Amino acid sequence: MGEYAVTVTVSPKAELRDPEGKAIGDALHALGWPAVTTVHVGRTINFGIAADSLAEAQSQVKEMCETLLVNPAIEDYTISVRDAPESALAESAQIGTSS
């Protein structure tokens, strides 16, 4: 069984209002970055998964997205699944934590 590192990136559908994205875009303009044209705020979900193959891992992650991680009525998502040794998964869990 292989270990895989997963990243799911979730964002609001482009045709829907994104008040948080608009607020950030307005703030960036006010702070001197008028070249910013579009801001969408989403979330990134990182986790490890054990599976017999890359295809099985991808299939499981897609099912997770459609069942729990994403609201398909208002959100789009992309999935990245890649080989990762167990030690890399433990290290990736530490990234971005604050003490």
Side-chain angles (χ1 to χ4, degrees):
M1 186 162 289
E3 293 285 334
Y4 299 91
V6 177
T7 300
V8 177
T9 304
V10 183
S11 59
K13 289 188 177 269
E15 63 270 14
L16 297 179
R17 289 177 18 97
D18 181 1
E20 189 175 5
K22 179 165 179 4
I24 290 171
D26 291 347
L28 289 170
H29 293 163
L31 292 170
W33 290 288
V36 173
T37 59
T38 306
V39 177
H40 291 281
V41 176
R43 65 188 182 282
T44 301
I45 305 164
N46 297 300
F47 59 94
I49 187 170
D52 289 329
S53 68
L54 179 63
E56 180 187 329
Q58 290 169 327
S59 176
Q60 287 185 36
V61 173
K62 183 176 183 197
E63 187 175 347
M64 290 174 198
C65 288
E66 294 171 354
T67 303
L68 174 69
L69 302 177
V70 177
N71 179 345
I74 62 170
E75 297 172 318
D76 290 324
Y77 66 95
T78 59
I79 298 170
S80 170
V81 180
R82 60 209 171 280
D83 289 325
E86 190 174 329
S87 61
L89 295 176
E91 290 171 15
S92 70
Q94 299 296 321
I95 296 173
T97 60
S98 59
S99 356

